[in-house]
Amino acid sequence: MRKNPERRATLLDAAIEVLAREGARGLTFRAVDQEAGVPVGTSSNYFDSRDDLFTQVGHRFYQRLEPGADLLAAAQEGPRDRARVAELMHDVVDRVSDFRSGFLAQIELRLEATRRPELRRLLTERVRADLDANIDFHVRSGFPGGGTSVTLLHLALNWLILERLTLPDVIPRERARALVDAAVERVVPDPDDPV
């Protein structure tokens, strides 16, 4: 198996595009090679099987969305209140939505995970780790709310992103922005409100 990390990343990025556009059935080694503009047979030298390709695409999606140190530092700036949480949630929605093909590929991966145990294991571990990291960041940073608030926002905003990327006319962009604000207002407690 070949080890050139740049070529592997190029192939995985091409696989994300194919998966988003063609679905799981369209994700073949030949389609990946064509999308990446490499000779036929290249991707089969990098991945042991289609199962391996699906699993590696799952890794690559999360690698590309992983927030960098600059983004994490910027999230720490400003007050630790509900309004700041809303700003951060808008940033998350925008960042994930900007990687449209990645999000759509991830939905295809989730469907495929119902049939591929290794992929299900990877996605379960990765989503759980991301959710735990988000909860830990939220609590350590001193934002209002806790694990339940973060989990509810995770669930609501993921579905909102799915709706916007697949059926954008159902909820127009401005309405989506207002819904993010409403979700934060309803889910994140205001520390100044009397209990």
Side-chain angles (χ1 to χ4, degrees):
M1 184 159 27
R2 302 251 172 117
K3 301 292 185 193
N4 181 325
E6 293 83 21
R7 173 64 59 95
R8 177 179 293 279
T10 297
L11 292 169
L12 290 170
D13 289 343
I16 287 171
E17 297 302 318
V18 171
L19 191 56
R21 187 177 59 245
E22 306 293 330
R25 289 183 185 214
L27 186 63
T28 64
F29 289 136
R30 183 177 295 275
V32 172
D33 291 341
Q34 184 176 1
E35 181 72 25
V38 298
V40 172
T42 301
S43 59
S44 63
N45 288 324
Y46 279 82
F47 309 103
D48 294 332
S49 63
R50 274 187 86 226
D51 280 338
D52 182 38
L53 179 59
F54 277 110
T55 301
Q56 295 303 317
V57 167
H59 283 293
R60 180 65 176 160
F61 166 76
Y62 286 103
Q63 181 184 43
R64 285 186 56 185
L65 273 182
E66 190 76 31
D70 293 347
L71 188 59
L72 290 174
Q76 296 275 2
E77 296 174 3
R80 303 292 194 272
D81 59 13
R82 191 169 27 185
R84 182 65 177 133
V85 172
E87 288 175 30
L88 294 173
M89 294 304 98
H90 284 291
D91 290 345
V92 168
V93 168
D94 291 344
R95 185 166 54 91
V96 174
S97 296
D98 286 346
F99 187 24
R100 181 179 191 274
S101 59
F103 190 84
L104 295 177
Q106 188 241 16
I107 298 304
E108 290 286 341
L109 287 174
R110 284 177 175 234
L111 293 171
E112 201 60 27
T114 65
R115 297 174 286 277
R116 297 176 187 271
E118 182 63 21
L119 183 58
R120 180 176 32 242
R121 184 196 60 72
L122 163 73
L123 293 179
T124 299
E125 288 175 5
R126 187 57 202 239
V127 170
R128 183 176 292 132
D130 285 350
L131 187 55
D132 289 346
N134 287 334
I135 291 168
D136 181 63
F137 176 81
H138 187 91
V139 171
R140 273 188 308 102
S141 298
F143 288 106
T148 299
S149 295
V150 173
T151 302
L152 288 171
L153 288 172
H154 165 85
L155 295 170
L157 298 184
N158 270 303
W159 195 265
L160 178 64
I161 293 167
L162 176 66
E163 199 75 28
R164 288 288 305 138
L165 294 181
T166 59
L167 300 171
D169 295 333
V170 171
I171 300 175
R173 181 175 175 77
E174 287 311 310
R175 177 74 176 129
R177 293 192 64 77
L179 288 170
V180 170
D181 291 334
V184 170
E185 183 178 325
R186 284 167 176 78
V187 169
V188 177
D190 185 344
D192 295 331
D193 285 347
V195 177

